[in-house]
């Protein structure tokens, strides 16, 4: 079986690693350089998308922001999964919001802005404070604003107007500010026959809009809510593959914040924490294989490595600590890899995180240090 992945980053890399035991060969199409590369070595293996499509049994994607002309060619082949509509929903917040509404899934009140007049209508409809996000592009905290007081409106509008003018078909989506208790996400898979398998919820901590730390949690009431909402969205999209929903936990009631139509950063813990990782289950789903078990087999926390390209030897020597590098050139704030920390119990994981914090710099790993500080205060 040969799978062509649109995108040549770390998610394609991890799909390749997960696919090898199943005899699934992965090629990656770099949409920026317009070349086909090996997802692990990054060596160029071709520069003809049409040939790569012909050679592939299945085509999938590792990110949402795929040029529409490339998406159209892949869709025409009849090999693309999950679907172009799902990818568009993940890449355009206007489509995403409509899809959530169509699926009957709760999400924050919103209003789409293209003009200054729309901005003031949004203020009336959504209220202040509000969160504003670019409809196209923007991720890891980029392309976002917060309107906390009305006297900020003109300053923020100037920045948003510049954003709208810079990209064709751009707009801003205004959302009500949700006073959530925490952010959680659910990663799951759906097969073409409608079979759904979801992983345990993960509680997520962000730093400057970038995911820093994810921990698999057990909360049966929230899990059931999340699974129902996941199933509704996946069925509405006719989805095949792994899908992630990001939620706000509002005192035990979930609101969907975002859809991610792909394997997801908050699901990296499944590589060590679950019987079948998210990367393998994505490949199983799109290659028409039975889904693997999503059962939690050990308590796990994932820590993102941002802007760092090495770790102390003491970290590498710790039992239950698994490091995953992405083979990237170091750049400030860049996702360079992640660390999965495993234990027999939540207490065991907390102890290991405390040990890790002694070796990892607070400026580079603020979420880890804050987690350890809170844990020690609550103990």
């Amino acid at each position: 079986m040969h799978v062509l992945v649109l995108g040549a980053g770390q998610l394609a890399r991890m799909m390749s690693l997960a696919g090898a035991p199943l005899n699934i060969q992965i090629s990656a199409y770099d949409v920026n350089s317009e070349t086909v590369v090996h997802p692990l070595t990054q060596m160029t293996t071709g520069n003809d998308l049409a040939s790569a499509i012909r050679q592939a049994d299945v085509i999938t994607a590792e990110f949402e922001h795929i040029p529409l002309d490339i998406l159209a060619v892949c869709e025409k082949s009849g090999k693309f999964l999950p679907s172009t509509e799902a990818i568009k929903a993940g890449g355009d917040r206007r489509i995403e919001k409509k899809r959530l509404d169509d699926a009957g899934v709760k999400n924050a009140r919103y209003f789409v802005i293209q003009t200054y007049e729309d901005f003031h209508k949004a203020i009336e409809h959504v209220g202040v404070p509000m969160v504003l996000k670019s409809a196209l592009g923007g991720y890891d905290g980029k392309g976002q604003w917060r309107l906390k007081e009305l006297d900020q409106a003109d300053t923020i509008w100037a920045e948003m107007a510049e954003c709208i003018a810079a990209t064709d078909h751009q707009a801003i989506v205004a959302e009500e500010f949700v006073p959530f208790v925490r952010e959680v996400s659910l990663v799951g898979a759906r097969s073409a026959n409608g079979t759904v398998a979801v992983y345990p919820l993960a509680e997520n901590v962000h730093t400057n809009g970038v995911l820093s730390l994810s921990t698999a949690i057990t909360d049966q009431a929230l899990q059931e809510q999340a699974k129902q909402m996941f199933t509704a969205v996946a069925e509405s999209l006719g989805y095949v593959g792994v899908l992630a929903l990001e939620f706000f936990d509002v005192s035990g009631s979930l609101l969907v914040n975002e859809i991610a139509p792909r394997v997801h950063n908050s699901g990296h813990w499944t590589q060590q924490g679950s019987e079948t990782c998210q990367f393998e289950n994505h490949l199983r789903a799109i290659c028409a294989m039975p889904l693997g078990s999503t059962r939690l087999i050990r308590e796990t926390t994932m820590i993102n490595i941002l802007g760092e390209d090495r770790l102390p030897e003491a970290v590498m020597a710790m039992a239950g600590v698994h490091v995953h590098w992405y083979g990237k050139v170091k750049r400030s704030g860049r996702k360079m890899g992640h660390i999965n920390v495993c234990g027999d119990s939540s207490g065991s994981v907390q102890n290991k995180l405390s040990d890790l914090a002694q070796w990892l710099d607070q400026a580079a790993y603020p979420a880890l240090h804050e987690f350890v500080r809170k844990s020690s205060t609550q103990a």
Side-chain angles (χ1 to χ4, degrees), residues 193-214:
N193 66 7
T195 301
V196 169
V198 300
Y199 292 93
L201 280 164
E203 182 172 349
N204 303 320
V205 179
H206 293 79
T207 303
N208 298 323
V210 182
L211 181 64
S212 296
L213 189 145
S214 287

Side-chain angles (χ1 to χ4, degrees), residues 84-150:
T84 57
E85 289 306 308
I87 297 299
K88 288 176 182 177
D92 187 327
R93 287 188 171 88
R94 293 163 291 195
I95 299 173
E96 176 185 59
K97 285 291 189 180
K98 185 177 186 308
R99 284 294 188 175
L100 290 172
D101 290 343
D102 290 346
V105 169
K106 292 188 294 184
N107 60 100
R109 187 166 64 248
Y110 67 96
F111 195 90
V112 178
I113 299 168
Q114 288 185 302
T115 67
Y116 186 69
E117 290 72 24
D118 289 340
F119 185 29
H120 283 276
K121 289 178 183 177
I123 291 172
E124 293 177 11
H125 179 73
V126 174
V128 176
M130 69 165 66
V131 179
L132 300 127
K133 304 175 182 178
S134 60
L136 301 173
Y139 59 93
D140 287 345
K142 302 177 179 68
Q144 298 187 12
W145 302 264
R146 285 193 179 187
L147 178 64
K148 298 178 180 178
E149 303 289 345
L150 286 175

Side-chain angles (χ1 to χ4, degrees), residues 195-271:
T195 301
V196 169
V198 300
Y199 292 93
L201 280 164
E203 182 172 349
N204 303 320
V205 179
H206 293 79
T207 303
N208 298 323
V210 182
L211 181 64
S212 296
L213 189 145
S214 287
T215 302
I217 62 172
T218 301
D219 186 317
Q220 197 56 44
L222 281 188
Q223 185 77 23
E224 284 301 318
Q225 276 190 63
K227 183 177 181 180
Q228 290 174 8
M229 296 165 90
F230 175 93
T231 302
V233 172
E235 290 183 350
S236 173
L237 290 169
Y239 201 89
V240 178
V242 162
L243 170 73
L245 297 188
E246 298 180 50
F247 301 96
F248 294 132
D249 175 5
V250 187
S251 301
S253 180
L254 295 179
L255 287 179
V256 176
N257 179 33
E258 290 185 357
I259 299 172
R262 53 178 170 78
V263 287
H264 194 256
N265 196 176
S266 69
H268 291 355
W269 68 265
T270 63
Q271 289 171 304

Side-chain angles (χ1 to χ4, degrees), residues 74-89:
C74 293
E75 177 76 6
K76 189 176 180 180
S77 73
K79 301 176 181 180
F80 185 76
L81 293 171
S83 73
T84 57
E85 289 306 308
I87 297 299
K88 288 176 182 177

Side-chain angles (χ1 to χ4, degrees), residues 26 61-62 115 118 224 241 263 304 306 335:
I26 308 290
E62 70 152 8
T115 67
D118 289 340
E224 284 301 318
V263 287
N304 265 338
L306 304 173
K335 290 179 181 177

